[in-house]
Amino acid sequence: MCGIVGYIGKNNAKEVIIDGLKRLEYRGYDSAGIAICKDGGLEVRKAVGAIVNLEQVVADPAFDGPVGIGHTRWATHGVPSEVNAHPHTNEDNTIAVVHNGIIENYVEIKEELIREYGIEFRSETDTEVIAQLIGIYYDGDLHEAVNKAVAQMRGAYAIGVIAAAEPDKIVAVRKDAPLIAGIGKGCNYIASDIPAIMERSRQVYFIENDETIVVTADKIEIFDGNNKPVEHEAFTVTWDVDSAERGGYDHFMLKEINEQPKGIEETLLRRLDEDGNIKLDGIELTKEDLDKINKVCIVACGTAYHAGLIGKYAIEKMAKIPVEVDIASEFRYRDPFVDEKTLFIAISQSGETLDTLHALREAKRKGARVLSVVNVVGSSIARESDDVFYTWAGPEISVASTKAYTTQLTIMYMLGLYMGRLRGAIEESYYQRMVSELKEIPAKLARYLEKQKDVKRIADRFHRDNEMFFIGRGLDASVSYEASLKMKEISYINSFAIAAGELKHGTIALIDQGTLVVVLATQDALFEKMLSNIKEVQARGAYVLAVAKEGDTEVEKQADEVIYIPDCPDELTPLLSVVPMQLFAYYVAKARGCNIDKPKNLAKSVTVE
Ligand code: M6R
């Protein structure tokens, strides 16, 4: 995730900024840069990779100065590169901008700037558009120019801006992306996050949406969306650095679980056009292309593989194209039937999983068109694919994948609906209803996350168990696999997931008095069958924890305990039902005293076979 740090005072800005950027390193980034005001002009230096690379390129005294803005970039528009790294400047390098977030109408603004002013863009980013736009409006008053530019921008962002001709100020704006101003002695700061400046300032202003700040060495002025000055009370930061990095959560996993409404929203809403229809980020997938395809092959590992299982369901149901889902390490060695009529979809959070990368190469060699669903821009899988559909989950730091999974699911539904509509395989009314139901998911999930209390209580009761079972049918079976993986990888409990109908073919022999069986029963069409499965395991003494949709009260009569998720169509329940399962694993692991964010024997990115 991108990070912003700005400093204005008497000290050397680059030192303060480098220090601040290092404090944000834990969030992940691919490049970094700093701009300073110097001798009536601006100096900008950038580097790809670690902050130490940036440290080297700013080391010489020619880059000393008391005012500057810096940035760590997590690529969204354009590959990680020096030219795409921030700060970005306008044409004559008199305005520099750092930016977190996304400008939704940047293409529109860019085209206008090219058409009306003949501006030549240097990068692929949406951020450069902001710098160029402010440059057009600049007439000696940076605050005014920023206001004019912001009035034209749509999206969610925080920006920091400096101008060569006004080296006594930094102007910054917040719109749906975090921004703070830190109060110093004879100096002031801006930042996207508290950890960036908390070693230097513990008195901060939280900037609200649509507010602009004008920061000089001795004052911080805040203006509301109507450009009226407003006062905020300064907040005193009392947290330690570690807890500030986790945004106040005990673990990154819990933070990332709570970021899921935002992740789904980013992934979905930014891919809806003005009429509310799904667009695929410029990926050319026409009806003719789809007519040439006779099957889809989804390949991934671990949690991403579980997302692929839901992808199979979504694409088969909505686009009516046969789908095979494979574990990458299996796919590679089974000489799979893949040819130029195959659409190959690789799913990977990191984009670096070696088995998935090799499977992708194998599919390419056989002539398949390769589309990847990846979270890390510019990663190996993204670079080697014909098309990339990014999950905009932001960096996932905890080894246990949570928000990557739900954003991958979101993309699976989007692909299914997009292809189904293009092929005429679904009714327009179904398409419209599903898109509108998908749009409701972030709010439903946020509502669930606000209220959930039961999960911790139940986890505290079962955390000493040595084994657990997760069962479900249809989509619930796929979510059971993910629930079980979460449990085993962070709590080290021997958990097992199985399609509920398979129980009686062997596994039921393991169910004993007091065995915990988590029953996912969210599918209306399979509800009665699941009630029978509940009876079946209870007859062997199992304790049943059910997950059901609000309103399905019948399950209460059967199960020992029920967790309710908000109501939604059967097709979309995995987006909601997995969340109590993630929380259940989290609280069980916590009660067992496990190292939740870094479980034993596991790595975040598996780059070995
Ligand atoms: O980066 P990827 O999505 O390719 O990683 C695949 C798996 O290694 C990953 O999902 C793993 O299963 C997670 N740790 C599970 O939480």
Side-chain angles (χ1 to χ4, degrees):
M1 194 105 79
C2 304
I4 292 176
V5 189
Y7 171 81
I8 183 159
K10 292 189 185 62
N11 293 328
N12 202 348
K14 74 180 179 196
E15 282 164 17
V16 179
I17 293 168
I18 288 275
D19 219 37
L21 295 179
K22 280 185 175 169
R23 297 260 166 223
L24 299 180
E25 275 190 303
Y26 70 95
R27 295 145 42 99
Y29 63 99
D30 48 58
S31 50
I34 300 179
I36 57 158
C37 294
K38 181 92 188 166
D39 304 330
L42 292 180
E43 283 279 329
V44 180
R45 306 232 175 131
K46 307 175 186 184
V48 173
I51 303 287
V52 287
N53 300 345
L54 178 67
E55 230 171 339
Q56 281 163 11
V57 299
V58 302
D60 64 290
F63 200 73
D64 291 350
V67 185
I69 49 176
H71 190 263
T72 45
R73 175 170 189 253
W74 165 270
T76 55
H77 292 73
V79 295
S81 67
E82 221 171 277
V83 76
N84 285 335
H86 303 204
H88 287 279
T89 55
N90 63 331
E91 249 191 346
D92 62 3
N93 296 319
T94 52
I95 306 283
V97 174
V98 287
H99 159 224
N100 286 359
I102 293 173
I103 307 302
E104 283 165 14
N105 58 337
Y106 86 101
V107 175
E108 198 179 291
I109 301 176
K110 189 171 181 174
E111 282 169 0
E112 188 188 319
L113 290 172
I114 295 170
R115 198 176 52 243
E116 303 288 321
Y117 302 95
I119 296 214
E120 284 181 25
F121 281 82
R122 295 167 283 224
S123 75
E124 301 161 82
T125 65
D126 49 347
T127 308
E128 188 184 344
V129 169
I130 310 173
Q132 300 285 12
L133 191 60
I134 296 173
I136 293 294
Y137 287 127
Y138 189 69
D139 190 16
D141 185 338
L142 184 61
H143 183 189
E144 192 182 293
V146 169
N147 280 347
K148 286 184 179 163
V150 162
Q152 241 179 290
M153 286 155 38
R154 274 203 320 271
Y157 52 82
I159 58 170
V161 192
I162 52 175
E166 292 174 79
D168 60 339
K169 67 179 65 135
I170 302 173
V171 177
V173 184
R174 177 199 158 123
K175 174 99 196 336
D176 287 324
L179 178 69
I180 58 164
I183 307 164
K185 290 201 177 85
C187 64
N188 286 308
Y189 309 85
I190 64 159
S192 51
D193 306 79
I194 289 175
I197 58 167
M198 67 188 282
E199 293 279 285
R200 295 172 189 270
S201 164
R202 287 195 167 247
Q203 289 281 297
V204 303
Y205 294 120
F206 288 108
I207 308 308
E208 303 288 345
N209 266 345
D210 298 316
E211 286 181 346
T212 301
I213 49 175
V214 179
V215 182
T216 61
D218 48 27
K219 65 175 185 294
I220 297 169
E221 293 173 286
I222 309 174
F223 301 88
D224 69 11
N226 298 316
N227 209 21
K228 297 264 173 308
V230 286
E231 300 272 323
H232 283 333
E233 214 171 292
F235 174 83
T236 305
V237 179
T238 52
W239 316 327
D240 58 43
V241 173
D242 275 1
S243 109
E245 285 179 350
R246 295 186 304 269
Y249 290 100
D250 286 349
H251 297 92
F252 281 111
M253 183 180 177
L254 188 58
K255 177 170 182 268
E256 288 158 8
I257 289 172
N258 279 281
E259 284 170 350
Q260 291 180 107
K262 180 94 180 130
I264 297 171
E265 193 171 78
E266 296 275 331
T267 301
L268 172 71
L269 292 191
R270 293 177 196 287
R271 267 75 171 250
L272 296 181
D273 66 17
E274 274 142 30
D275 301 322
N277 293 321
I278 296 165
K279 53 180 183 174
L280 299 185
D281 286 349
I283 297 172
E284 278 285 312
L285 198 57
T286 60
K287 171 138 182 15
E288 292 66 47
D289 292 332
L290 290 180
D291 287 345
K292 284 188 217 138
I293 288 164
N294 61 14
K295 79 166 172 189
V296 173
C297 195
I298 303 180
V299 171
C301 302
T303 290
Y305 167 73
H306 296 153
L309 296 175
I310 309 283
K312 172 181 169 67
Y313 170 91
I315 295 170
E316 286 186 341
K317 180 171 176 73
M318 295 161 181
K320 313 277 188 265
I321 305 174
V323 182
E324 285 173 17
V325 195
D326 234 321
I327 293 167
S329 53
E330 291 295 313
F331 176 89
R332 288 177 61 190
Y333 300 111
R334 74 170 169 86
D335 193 16
F337 192 84
V338 168
D339 60 15
E340 57 290 339
K341 292 195 186 129
T342 308
L343 173 64
F344 179 92
I345 303 181
I347 310 179
S348 174
Q349 186 284 130
S350 61
E352 300 295 346
T353 301
L354 199 65
D355 282 322
T356 311
L357 186 60
H358 281 299
L360 175 159
R361 287 178 184 156
E362 171 78 0
K364 257 187 130 171
R365 203 176 53 74
K366 290 183 162 173
R369 175 171 175 178
V370 174
L371 165 71
S372 63
V373 177
V374 170
N375 196 36
V376 181
V377 176
S379 54
S380 305
I381 291 175
R383 279 187 279 114
E384 295 197 25
S385 301
D386 298 313
D387 301 295
V388 190
F389 204 17
Y390 287 108
T391 44
W392 285 337
E396 198 179 57
I397 292 164
S398 173
V399 165
S401 196
T402 53
K403 61 179 181 172
Y405 175 75
T406 43
T407 52
Q408 285 160 354
L409 295 193
T410 306
I411 287 191
M412 292 297 113
Y413 289 121
M414 291 168 78
L415 282 174
L417 287 166
Y418 180 88
M419 297 201 273
R421 186 180 200 222
L422 209 58
R423 279 168 57 84
I426 41 174
E427 298 282 333
E428 182 63 17
S429 57
Y430 177 81
Y431 171 88
Q432 294 297 345
R433 184 166 69 83
M434 281 298 132
V435 172
S436 109
E437 290 284 355
L438 267 175
K439 279 160 69 180
E440 303 276 309
I441 296 286
K444 286 185 180 174
L445 197 48
R447 178 160 63 82
Y448 172 77
L449 283 164
E450 260 165 39
K451 285 197 321 200
Q452 60 83 24
K453 289 189 240 41
D454 289 350
V455 183
K456 182 176 180 318
R457 176 183 52 77
I458 302 166
D460 286 343
R461 173 169 175 178
F462 289 100
H463 77 274
R464 288 192 193 82
D465 282 17
N466 292 322
E467 60 175 5
M468 284 178 192
F469 291 82
F470 293 82
I471 64 170
R473 286 170 182 260
L475 286 172
D476 283 338
S478 304
V479 176
S480 298
Y481 303 142
E482 175 57 11
S484 171
L485 176 65
K486 279 301 80 92
M487 184 60 78
K488 61 175 78 112
E489 74 174 323
I490 61 167
S491 76
Y492 319 139
I493 289 176
N494 187 4
S495 79
F496 189 83
I498 186 165
E502 267 293 288
L503 263 181
K504 58 184 174 296
H505 297 288
T507 307
I508 202 161
L510 295 172
I511 309 294
D512 268 327
Q513 197 59 40
T515 308
L516 177 65
V517 179
V518 181
V519 177
L520 284 115
T522 69
Q523 302 294 292
D524 293 343
L526 300 165
F527 194 64
E528 284 184 4
K529 294 265 175 249
M530 286 313 297
L531 293 182
S532 308
N533 288 123
I534 292 177
K535 288 208 179 94
E536 197 175 60
V537 292
Q538 275 177 334
R540 274 86 186 166
Y543 185 94
V544 170
L545 166 62
V547 178
K549 288 195 280 202
E550 268 166 10
D552 284 343
T553 46
E554 187 58 27
V555 72
E556 274 172 34
K557 295 183 199 146
Q558 315 285 340
D560 298 286
E561 187 96 53
V562 186
I563 293 173
Y564 284 109
I565 57 164
D567 193 14
C568 75
D570 276 9
E571 290 91 320
L572 305 183
T573 55
L575 284 164
L576 298 170
S577 62
V578 76
V579 178
M581 297 294 90
Q582 297 165 341
L583 287 166
F584 186 47
Y586 172 81
Y587 286 119
V588 166
K590 193 170 178 202
R592 288 165 75 92
C594 298
N595 188 352
I596 293 180
D597 286 331
K598 291 193 177 136
K600 66 177 186 199
N601 305 338
L602 293 176
K604 183 67 187 155
S605 171
V606 186
T607 53
V608 290
E609 289 194 47

